[in-house]
Amino acid sequence: MATMKKVVLKNYVKGKPKETDMEVLTTSAIPLKVPEASNEAAMVVKNLYLSCDPYMRLLMTKHDEPPEFSYLSDFVPGEAIRSYGVCKVIDSTYPNFKTGDYVWGITGWEEYSLITNPEIFIKINHPELPLSYYTGILGMAGFTAYLGFHEVASPKKGEYVYVSAAAGAVGQLVGQFAKLMGCYVVGSAGSDEKVEMLKSKFGFDDAFNYKKEANLTLALKRFFPQGIDIYFENVGGEMLDAVLVNMRVRGRIAVCGMISQYNLDNPEPVYNTIVITPKRIRVEGFFVFDHFPSYGTFEEMAVSYIKENKITYVEDIVEGLENAPGALIGLYEGRNVGKQVVVVSRE
């Protein structure tokens, strides 16, 4: 038995979320064994590392009908917020996991969780690496970058690649995957510090601070005078409009997310879609959930890149569950540098 902290949503959110929309509570003791009366396989886990991700804003608003853009159910006020996390199995009646195993999947923002759908979790095969990597480079962020770039964008050596929100958890990896393919890569970010990191740490060919550009269309023409072959979309809105007119014939746009739109009651229109047909541009969204059977192949590739120092990964780590609300809000304000991770317990 144990007491525990958890982060709950206080009320549904309209507009820009605030730290005060969430609350840290301490509950009374909870059992650390799967209830004997449970007829279905389950497990109790200790949460070690939690992921902060842009999509979580969508789940903080109540939807009468499940929106087409959402693949997870809305958060419930008074209940623990959920995200991807790295966990240690405390007790399990699920045959694939035993006590002491490390796993990753969607868990609660709390110290311990009872998981009633253990089949959606993935066992961690490389605990010799930092476990927090399974919230990022070896978890959803890395798998997203791999799928969006390699499988959706279908890159070729020498192509021109643009990555928005390039200093984030996904963007930093897309740029490095592109460089390993022999592409020319430019990224954008929201601070000079992040721009310098893209060039000096992640090896981007060039980068720019979009907040300092009066005209994004002209900025992209300056960095891509020959046009863009591949755009990895993380932002949406005005950025997507500027990209469309700068795409080359038969360019590809892999739509991962649109963080600039998540806090808006009325998303911004995109005006330049008329160029999609004459330029034969392919625009494709994707979900990692459609591709989990290929996760093992991705994991081994990413592990080899890490061990051979072919790829660099930056985490922005916050200690303590009580600091999780601030970390999540910082994501929408651009305060994070790299993958935003919350440490609940290091073991």
Side-chain angles (χ1 to χ4, degrees):
M1 303 287 285
T3 59
M4 71 172 186
K5 294 177 182 176
K6 64 179 180 179
V7 178
V8 303
L9 183 69
K10 290 171 67 176
N11 297 292
Y12 285 118
V13 176
K14 293 195 72 175
K16 187 176 180 181
K18 309 179 295 297
E19 287 188 46
T20 52
D21 292 320
M22 294 167 275
E23 185 176 15
V24 182
L25 302 177
T26 300
T27 69
S28 57
I30 64 165
L32 296 185
K33 289 188 70 66
V34 175
E36 292 184 5
S38 175
N39 294 321
E40 301 293 334
M43 62 183 180
V44 174
V45 299
K46 181 178 184 180
N47 295 312
L48 305 179
Y49 300 92
L50 298 173
S51 176
C52 294
D53 296 297
Y55 74 85
M56 295 171 68
R57 168 61 188 89
L58 303 175
L59 308 182
M60 299 173 84
T61 297
K62 174 66 174 174
H63 299 95
D64 294 328
E65 295 288 336
E68 292 182 0
F69 56 73
S70 180
Y71 43 90
L72 297 170
S73 58
D74 296 334
F75 296 146
V76 177
E79 295 185 5
I81 285 172
R82 306 179 309 277
S83 75
Y84 282 93
V86 171
C87 319
K88 185 175 184 178
V89 178
I90 302 300
D91 187 45
S92 175
T93 60
Y94 183 59
N96 290 12
F97 302 138
K98 65 182 186 300
T99 299
D101 282 347
Y102 295 102
V103 297
W104 71 273
I106 296 175
T107 188
W109 278 28
E110 52 196 358
E111 292 180 277
Y112 297 91
S113 294
L114 172 64
I115 305 297
T116 56
N117 53 350
E119 68 279 358
I120 71 169
F121 278 68
I122 297 175
K123 185 175 180 179
I124 289 175
N125 295 311
H126 292 277
E128 74 278 8
L129 294 173
L131 290 174
S132 60
Y133 278 13
Y134 281 87
T135 68
I137 186 172
L138 295 176
M140 189 185 74
F143 196 34
T144 298
Y146 169 82
L147 292 170
F149 182 67
H150 284 287
E151 297 196 13
V152 176
S154 304
K156 303 179 186 67
K157 182 178 180 180
E159 289 193 311
Y160 300 97
V161 177
Y162 172 51
V163 185
S164 58
V170 175
Q172 60 173 286
L173 295 172
V174 173
Q176 293 180 82
F177 290 157
K179 288 304 299 178
L180 288 168
M181 277 285 299
C183 298
Y184 176 83
V185 186
V186 175
S188 61
S191 73
D192 292 343
E193 174 192 9
K194 292 180 180 180
V195 166
E196 179 57 32
M197 183 175 68
L198 291 175
K199 294 188 288 186
S200 63
K201 196 171 190 70
F202 299 138
F204 282 58
D205 293 289
D206 215 332
F208 65 95
N209 183 344
Y210 71 89
K211 293 180 180 178
K212 290 187 171 181
E213 299 292 341
N215 186 309
L216 291 174
T217 299
L218 294 180
L220 289 173
K221 287 187 184 297
R222 187 169 77 246
F223 285 98
F224 293 98
Q226 65 290 94
I228 300 167
D229 290 300
I230 293 172
Y231 172 44
F232 198 95
E233 165 69 301
N234 289 310
V235 171
E238 183 184 1
M239 183 66 78
L240 177 57
D241 243 348
V243 167
L244 283 169
V245 296
N246 280 283
M247 292 295 292
R248 302 181 80 182
V249 171
R250 293 189 174 82
R252 287 87 69 205
I253 299 177
V255 183
C256 174
M258 296 189 179
I259 194 171
S260 72
Q261 307 301 297
Y262 294 162
N263 291 329
L264 303 180
D265 291 332
N266 297 303
E268 297 170 338
V270 177
Y271 298 98
N272 293 322
T273 54
I274 195 170
V275 305
I276 292 175
T277 299
K279 290 191 175 188
R280 283 85 87 196
I281 299 168
R282 177 164 57 85
V283 182
E284 183 176 347
F286 63 98
F287 280 156
V288 294
F289 298 95
D290 297 331
H291 302 271
F292 270 131
S294 62
Y295 170 77
T297 301
F298 156 75
E299 182 186 26
E300 294 309 312
M301 181 205 76
V303 166
S304 68
Y305 282 167
I306 293 168
K307 291 185 174 181
E308 295 168 15
N309 295 316
K310 289 183 176 180
I311 204 161
T312 299
Y313 194 63
V314 171
E315 297 175 306
D316 191 330
I317 292 180
V318 170
E319 297 277 350
L321 196 56
E322 65 277 7
N323 294 313
L328 180 59
I329 298 305
L331 195 69
Y332 305 116
E333 297 177 349
R335 295 201 304 260
N336 63 300
V337 178
K339 171 62 187 175
Q340 187 69 71
V341 181
V342 176
V343 180
V344 182
S345 173
R346 292 191 178 271
E347 186 51 60

